[in-house]
Amino acid sequence: MSDFLPPGWTVQEGHGIGLVIAGPSGAGKSSVIAEVLRRDPTLAFSVSATTRPRRPDETDGRDYHFVSEPEFDRLLRAGDLLEWTTYGGHRYGTPRHEVLSRLLAGQDVVINVEVQGALALRRAGLPHPVVLVFLVPPSREELVRRIRGRGTETDQTLAARLAIADAEVRQIPEFDYLVVNDTLDQAVKRVEAILTAERCRLRRCSPLA
Ligand code: ADP
Ligand code: 5GP
């Protein structure tokens, strides 16, 4: 806080920050986000809806809202998704209410999406521009190792995810920040530094914000 500011200005108040973490499957988005949330319990996570089957280590309502195809259709028809996409034969979407209500209440929200979803969120008319972070692995070889190590893909779905990853890295110039996930601790510290920097932006403190 500071009261040594022009009339009407406040520090670190107003709308929350929408921090979008995108990047290739296997880059470590879920791992980095989980650790960022663990270290800062004031942050919220946007739990996406998906028609993908739940993995053994995932919890419904915490990692995703696992929904049926008709239920996803209903969310779409009701306008409940800020953006959505089909990825690897399954649909994924960002719930509008979950994100908007928190941002308007001043809470920062972390969002895990693929690259097209990140760019769509920029155009989604949120109260403040979202901050787009692209997370990359230290090498393509390491990306393959991480996806294999996670044990969730067949050779076929691994190849499909790599083909998408190759297209995704070409979109890096559209993003605000690039974070290399070499060690988890370093990547988490970089994301924390981005949040700190974004909270200090002048436009977030002005009476017009
Ligand atoms: P994404 O959410 O981007 O698909 P995950 O968070 O599921 O990626 O990570 C993919 C795999 O890589 C997981 O098995 C995870 O434990 C591992 N992983 C994530 N970050 C690192 C890291 N910095 N070093 C080594 N392994 C990592
Ligand atoms: P996974 O099946 O590995 O959990 O996710 C596959 C891809 O879908 C990842 O790149 C993840 O970031 C993305 N994803 C997860 N939720 C959403 C969402 O709500 N919208 C979009 N566009 N992508 C999402």
Side-chain angles (χ1 to χ4, degrees):
M1 252 338 262
S2 169
D3 61 7
F4 191 57
L5 294 167
W9 285 59
T10 53
V11 173
Q12 294 184 10
E13 285 173 12
H15 296 310
I17 296 167
L19 186 76
V20 180
I21 311 281
S25 172
K29 298 182 294 295
S30 308
S31 309
V32 169
I33 289 172
E35 186 56 20
V36 169
L37 293 174
R38 200 186 63 76
R39 293 187 197 182
D40 182 353
T42 69
L43 296 171
F45 176 60
S46 163
V47 180
S48 294
T50 184
T51 59
R52 165 169 80 59
R54 191 176 62 78
R55 295 174 185 151
D57 64 335
E58 289 177 329
T59 305
D60 188 24
R62 189 194 66 185
D63 300 293
Y64 283 106
H65 299 292
F66 294 97
V67 298
S68 63
E69 294 288 347
E71 174 68 3
F72 199 96
D73 286 335
R74 197 194 61 73
L75 291 172
L76 269 181
R77 272 199 310 274
D80 284 349
L81 301 178
L82 276 172
E83 62 75 40
W84 70 280
T85 194
T86 300
Y87 183 100
H90 302 292
R91 290 187 289 173
Y92 299 78
T94 306
R96 177 183 301 276
H97 177 71
E98 198 158 323
V99 173
L100 258 181
S101 60
R102 285 172 174 150
L103 290 180
L104 292 174
Q107 191 175 20
D108 300 334
V109 181
V110 184
I111 308 172
N112 176 349
V113 288
E114 47 66 64
V115 169
Q116 293 312 318
L119 300 177
L121 283 170
R122 173 164 275 166
R123 300 185 298 266
L126 287 165
H128 267 308
V130 285
V131 178
L132 300 189
V133 177
F134 198 106
L135 190 73
V136 279
S139 67
R140 194 173 187 279
E141 199 187 342
E142 174 63 12
L143 181 68
V144 175
R145 209 175 4 251
R146 286 183 189 175
I147 301 178
R148 282 197 198 283
R150 195 169 59 188
T152 53
E153 308 304 319
T154 62
D155 282 350
Q156 205 178 9
T157 60
L158 170 69
R161 283 182 181 236
L162 285 176
I164 295 170
D166 289 333
E168 285 181 326
V169 289
R170 288 198 275 276
Q171 308 266 21
I172 287 175
E174 306 291 323
F175 279 68
D176 300 310
Y177 294 95
L178 180 65
V179 168
V180 179
N181 179 18
D182 37 22
T183 71
L184 193 64
D185 184 60
Q186 282 302 312
V188 168
K189 285 192 173 124
R190 288 170 187 134
V191 172
E192 288 175 327
I194 291 168
L195 260 175
T196 303
E198 288 293 328
R199 285 175 183 146
C200 296
R201 272 196 190 276
L202 265 193
R203 65 176 156 77
R204 291 191 197 280
C205 312
S206 97
L208 304 174

